[in-house]
Amino acid sequence: MDVLLLSRLQFAMTTFVHFIFVPLTLGLSLLVAYMEFKFVRSGDETYRRMAKFWGKLFLINFALGAVTGIALEFQFGTNWSRYSAYVGDIFGSLLAIEATLAFFLESTFLGVWIFGWKKLSPKMHNAAIWLVALAANLSAFWIIMANGWMQNPVGYVFGEGRAELGSFMALISNEFAWHQFIHVLSASYVLSGFFVLGISAYHIAKGSNVDFFKKSFRIAAPFTLIFAIVVVVQGHSHGATVAKYQPEKLAAMESHWETRTQAPQYLLVIPDPSNQRNRLELFPIPGGLSLLAYHDFNAAVKGLNDFPRDDHPPVMTTFLSFRTMVGLGFLFPILAAWVWFRRKVPEDSPGLLKILPWIIPLPYVAIQLGWIVAEMGRQPWIVYGMMRTSEAVSPGITTAQVAGSLAGFMAIYGLLVALCVFLLSKYGRKGPEPAVQE
């Protein structure tokens, strides 16, 4: 392995681990804020206990997730200095806003929320967690605007051998980035919803704190169903933006090799990238791919063979990740609809209660696969059409240095993930504190 590959592996590993924590933070913060809002409005102590119980799980996830995020930005200097020098004027401004505005807002009011239970009025205390939720989602906005710029660079000018910021408004109104933002946010809410549903189902099935967890179940059920539907519908629109701005990625996602009009959508495909064709294509939907990509049965969809070979993304990885993500994406609304129909009497559906705790990992898998499609499908570019990944790596670092730091990150991040799983599992199964202690 050379420095480039090791640096890519290191950044991929640290990003994917960090993104294990982020989606739950985005959605669970909203659910906790809503539970506390229900307490403020109704005075029902159960909702206050719910905010505390789910808030504890949120805090565990947030604390460990924040640690994993710190190392990411340092890598732009250590491993990707050419990238930073070339586009840092644009990319860095978005990261700076994220850190100084969103992250500090989130951290500050999280502290207020943790220590303010007995010091603030209920309304002011509830306002603190709403601000935490707002800031967490704002943080995601700035990060995804930065990534969206790498996918579809806009609002820049060239000067002194590097890209410089030309229009901040163009940067934050990037169509591709907005589609990414909505898709990631709604997927994160689905993940958070199934997290609450899974733990609630576990306790309801055991007959533990049934009233408490039935209320949690009823809150999470519509939340999960709404955003599971949004993911599918908006995901279709996002696919159209991929076709518009990154046609090579779309072709790789579908393993589509030859340009043709009325391009069919094959339900079963086995790619053969080495021979630039498919080994097997079965069950075509005539014009299906044209319709999905361009909303027109007769539209021409450009195949990979009409792009330079050097510009092909890794087809097999992109294709399999996309197909698996889509399969999971269609599974979630079905499960969420089942949950919604049984939300008032979940105890009458023992099969559903047994399934839901095992569903918790699946949205994590879907989200990670989505990032693989986004990042691997953009290759060989680090900034699409502007800078290749091979041009972005730092000069002067050695294979041994990167291999050593990669091994260190793997050990530390592996420990943090194991600790998070252990703590969430321990406190999730333990349940809330008894009501008499409130």
Side-chain angles (χ1 to χ4, degrees):
M1 292 187 183
D2 58 13
V3 167
L4 174 62
L5 181 56
L6 287 168
S7 294
R8 289 181 64 190
L9 286 173
Q10 179 172 290
F11 197 81
M13 188 277 293
T14 51
T15 303
F16 285 156
V17 170
H18 181 58
F19 209 65
I20 290 173
F21 301 96
V22 171
L24 186 60
T25 299
L26 299 179
L28 193 54
S29 60
L30 286 173
L31 288 168
V32 170
Y34 181 70
M35 290 167 184
E36 189 173 351
F37 170 74
K38 294 275 286 184
F39 161 67
V40 171
R41 196 174 64 170
S42 68
D44 186 337
E45 281 293 319
T46 304
Y47 289 114
R48 189 166 72 94
R49 293 173 62 222
M50 286 166 60
K52 285 196 167 186
F53 171 73
W54 295 110
K56 179 187 289 184
L57 302 185
F58 167 78
L59 291 174
I60 292 169
N61 185 74
F62 176 85
L64 294 171
V67 173
T68 60
I70 293 171
L72 284 176
E73 295 185 15
F74 285 106
Q75 291 178 71
F76 291 120
T78 56
N79 296 66
W80 303 103
S81 63
R82 283 178 173 153
Y83 167 81
S84 299
Y86 194 63
V87 301
D89 185 58
I90 302 165
F91 195 81
S93 64
L94 296 170
L95 296 187
I97 295 171
E98 187 273 333
T100 55
L101 173 65
F103 184 71
F104 282 115
L105 181 67
E106 182 182 11
S107 304
T108 300
F109 281 95
L110 188 57
V112 171
W113 188 76
I114 293 170
F115 299 108
W117 282 102
K118 296 180 180 178
K119 296 180 174 61
L120 297 174
S121 69
K123 287 184 179 178
M124 290 299 294
H125 191 264
N126 187 214
I129 191 66
W130 278 116
L131 285 169
V132 170
L134 172 66
N137 285 269
L138 264 179
S139 178
F141 172 80
W142 294 113
I143 295 295
I144 293 174
M145 287 299 119
N147 183 269
W149 185 81
M150 295 168 70
Q151 306 284 347
N152 177 41
V154 293
Y156 67 91
V157 294
F158 282 112
E160 299 183 358
R162 62 181 190 142
E164 298 176 349
L165 185 59
S167 169
F168 186 71
M169 286 306 297
L171 199 59
I172 61 171
S173 59
N174 186 345
E175 180 186 6
F176 197 101
W178 271 97
H179 276 280
Q180 275 191 301
F181 177 60
I182 296 169
H183 199 58
V184 170
L185 222 58
S186 50
S188 299
Y189 296 164
V190 172
L191 181 151
S192 305
F194 276 116
F195 180 83
V196 173
L197 290 170
I199 293 176
S200 299
Y202 170 81
H203 284 280
I204 294 169
K206 284 182 59 181
S208 163
N209 293 287
V210 172
D211 179 60
F212 179 99
F213 283 107
K214 280 182 68 175
K215 285 182 175 176
S216 299
F217 197 93
R218 281 201 294 272
I219 287 175
F223 181 81
T224 310
L225 176 59
I226 289 169
F227 288 105
I229 294 171
V230 170
V231 168
V232 173
V233 175
Q234 193 276 333
H236 167 64
S237 298
H238 187 31
T241 62
V242 172
K244 179 179 178 182
Y245 293 106
Q246 295 184 343
E248 304 99 314
K249 180 188 285 185
L250 177 84
M253 287 159 58
E254 297 290 351
S255 190
H256 177 67
W257 295 95
E258 303 298 335
T259 301
R260 56 185 297 186
T261 56
Q262 298 182 332
Q265 173 83 47
Y266 290 99
L267 298 183
L268 179 59
V269 176
I270 299 178
D272 183 8
S274 58
N275 292 306
Q276 296 183 261
R277 63 183 179 86
N278 290 327
R279 190 170 302 165
L280 181 70
E281 294 175 336
L282 291 176
F283 312 121
I285 301 173
L289 182 55
S290 294
L291 179 68
L292 288 172
Y294 298 105
H295 305 147
D296 179 356
F297 278 110
N298 297 312
V301 181
K302 194 171 179 180
L304 282 163
N305 287 335
D306 282 336
F307 293 99
R309 184 71 182 266
D310 289 346
D311 289 350
H312 288 192
V315 175
M316 188 63 86
T317 305
T318 307
F319 171 80
L320 292 176
S321 300
F322 177 67
R323 285 288 173 117
T324 309
M325 178 192 69
V326 169
L328 290 171
F330 278 104
L331 172 65
F332 297 145
I334 296 170
L335 284 171
W338 186 9
V339 166
W340 188 81
F341 280 115
R342 307 305 299 171
R343 69 192 185 283
K344 293 181 180 176
V345 283
E347 66 273 22
D348 290 349
S349 302
L352 178 63
L353 296 181
K354 285 182 181 176
I355 289 172
L356 283 174
W358 297 101
I359 296 298
I360 291 175
L362 294 185
Y364 285 93
V365 173
I367 282 184
Q368 297 289 357
L369 291 174
W371 273 114
I372 290 174
V373 173
E375 300 304 299
M376 295 291 285
R378 192 189 60 232
Q379 299 303 317
W381 304 99
I382 192 167
V383 180
Y384 182 73
M386 180 187 292
M387 185 180 205
R388 289 182 182 269
T389 306
S390 57
E391 299 168 340
V393 73
S394 299
I397 55 174
T398 65
T399 301
Q401 288 173 326
V402 186
S405 61
L406 174 59
F409 277 126
M410 289 178 69
I412 295 169
Y413 276 46
L415 182 64
L416 290 172
V417 170
L419 182 61
C420 185
V421 171
F422 170 74
L423 291 174
L424 289 180
S425 176
K426 176 183 175 181
Y427 289 105
R429 285 186 295 181
K430 182 180 177 183
E433 296 296 327
V436 291
Q437 296 180 7
E438 297 296 315

